[in-house]
Amino acid sequence: MTKFEKPGKVDWDYPQMAKQAGERALEDACISYDEVDQIAVGYCYGDSTCGQRAVYELGMTGKPIYNVNNNCATGSTALFMAKQFIEGGLCECAMALGFEKMERGSLGSKFMDRTNPMDKHMMKMMEIKEFAPSPPAAQVFGNAGREHMEKFGTKAETFAKIAYKNHRNSVNNPYSQFRDEYSLDQIISAPEVYAPLTKLQCCPTSDGSACAILASEAFVKSHGLEGQAVELIGMSMATDTAAVFKENSGDSLRKLAGHDMTKIASQTVYKQTGLGPDDVDVIELHDCFSANELITYEGLGLCKEGEAEKFIENGDNDYGGKVVINPSGGLISKGHPLGATGLAQCAEMCWQLRGEAGKRQVKDAKVALSHNLGLGGAAVVSMYKRPEEWRSIPMKRKVSLGEGPPASKL
């Protein structure tokens, strides 16, 4: 992956971002681009064949290239497609690439002459809460947080504690857009975006790219890659159910923010793998806002409904607790280039399971999980593990970028 950057800070365009991430992924996998049979490319802001334009920087082999757009879940959607290409027998090696070149400031609609894909979600939200002069996404997730506060007595300070943790973790991540640590008081007293959310509890827009190489077991063995292989042992995507737009209930605002999609996708993955939330050592989840991280704890089954505040107060979401969540700094601090986010999560999970994450390394990490969410909607949950029988095999590639990009390309 590339380092994530503030939009406009670096003089680059999406083809250059994609080339850098793609070349790093291919080098890590010890293969050439010619060996890749299918490519899924994710982005949200761009014309219809930006995927081809980006991938052509790596080579022009005539292989299929699919352009993917699934809002903020785009990166993991590309990953899910590449996984299915292999599982379906369409190819032996696939690439999932994601990138985004964004504008500064809050996200907004680009096409004003047609139906907004979030129109029903916003109308439903406005049946319950009055629309405010704040960014729409902040209202969706902020209202989910308010609902949790109203139903379970959760304190505003609890959301700030999530941001405190993620900003602190980003200090150890050279790929992170921001690497500043803040006190809890600084986070609470930052400018309010939409209560309970302050500016330091909201992810920034970002430029950047990330890439993953997926392969069949036969391909891994034939290329001598067993020692560094990380297996996607379970993966699922869920979309909104009809319950999102039904009569108002005590969890309507959390449903609008994707809680049910998260729950469905995670339960499917637990069933696929025979593992549960208690088996997971490290998680990268979609903390676009601190409120979403909190409700996602419950959606993933890390704690019971209404007990997320207790989970946080006990330190169960941090180093030394039950599971380390967002060791990378998460979206709040690492940044959120929409098409790249899910694949950056994948990169972090691979580095963690290989023991290559440096100062942010989770001790004895064996099972990892990622969660990538897009309003409108889609949630993708993935579970990773290194095959036990391959753990003792030396890695083929000699240099890991887990502790940071090459010094000349920070």
Side-chain angles (χ1 to χ4, degrees), residues 207-404:
D207 288 351
S209 180
C211 183
I213 305 298
L214 295 87
S216 67
E217 182 176 350
F219 186 97
V220 169
K221 288 181 176 179
S222 67
H223 286 71
L225 296 169
E226 297 97 322
Q228 63 199 64
V230 174
E231 185 178 1
L232 263 170
I233 59 174
M235 194 170 192
S236 177
M237 179 193 294
T239 58
D240 290 308
T241 67
V244 172
F245 303 120
K246 286 189 175 179
E247 70 280 353
N248 296 343
S249 62
D251 59 0
S252 297
L253 293 167
R254 282 171 289 153
K255 289 179 185 293
L256 286 171
H259 174 274
D260 286 8
M261 295 191 295
T262 293
K263 186 174 182 179
I264 293 167
S266 62
Q267 288 180 341
T268 301
V269 167
Y270 299 148
K271 185 176 180 180
Q272 288 172 348
T273 63
L275 301 175
D278 291 340
D279 298 305
V280 179
D281 301 303
V282 57
I283 295 174
E284 283 285 310
L285 63 76
H286 200 89
D287 61 316
C288 48
F289 300 90
S290 59
N292 195 47
E293 177 160 333
L294 184 142
I295 67 170
T296 299
Y297 294 166
E298 297 175 8
L300 292 175
L302 301 174
C303 59
K304 294 179 181 178
E305 184 182 14
E307 294 187 1
E309 183 170 73
K310 180 181 176 182
F311 186 74
I312 294 164
E313 296 291 348
N314 289 343
D316 290 334
N317 62 340
D318 206 352
Y319 292 91
K322 290 183 177 179
V323 59
V324 181
I325 298 174
N326 285 331
S328 72
L331 284 62
I332 283 176
S333 199
K334 181 176 65 182
H336 185 25
L338 274 60
T341 288
L343 288 159
Q345 292 178 332
C346 175
E348 180 69 19
M349 297 296 84
C350 290
W351 287 326
Q352 288 286 346
L353 293 177
R354 292 171 177 171
E356 298 173 341
K359 292 181 180 179
R360 63 188 190 278
Q361 180 63 49
V362 175
K363 185 179 180 181
D364 299 326
K366 298 290 195 301
V367 179
L369 183 142
S370 64
H371 161 268
N372 192 199
L373 178 80
L375 292 178
V380 182
V381 174
S382 313
M383 189 175 282
Y384 309 77
K385 187 178 182 182
R386 290 180 67 193
E388 290 295 330
E389 64 273 24
W390 293 350
R391 294 180 68 86
S392 62
I393 300 175
M395 297 188 189
K396 184 175 181 179
R397 62 105 175 90
K398 302 301 181 184
V399 178
S400 168
L401 298 181
E403 294 189 50

Side-chain angles (χ1 to χ4, degrees), residues 14-84:
Y14 71 89
Q16 290 75 50
M17 303 175 200
K19 180 181 181 182
Q20 188 176 104
E23 287 179 344
R24 289 175 179 177
L26 290 165
E27 185 176 351
D28 183 81
C30 304
I31 65 170
S32 68
Y33 176 66
D34 290 345
E35 295 178 89
V36 177
D37 298 315
Q38 305 252 356
I39 306 98
V41 187
Y43 60 94
C44 293
Y45 295 104
D47 290 321
S48 58
T49 54
C50 285
Q52 279 87 331
R53 179 63 183 85
V55 171
Y56 288 169
E57 292 293 311
L58 301 172
M60 301 179 70
T61 59
K63 301 292 179 63
I65 298 172
Y66 307 83
N67 291 265
V68 182
N69 181 341
N70 220 5
N71 210 347
C72 300
T74 292
S76 287
T77 302
L79 185 69
F80 193 34
M81 287 180 65
K83 179 176 183 287
Q84 291 180 102

Side-chain angles (χ1 to χ4, degrees), residues 163-172 180-182 318-319:
Y164 167 79
K165 166 183 66 70
N166 293 350
H167 282 293
R168 183 205 67 210
N169 288 350
S170 73
V171 172
N172 293 321
D180 301 309
E181 185 171 359
Y182 298 93
D318 206 352
Y319 292 91

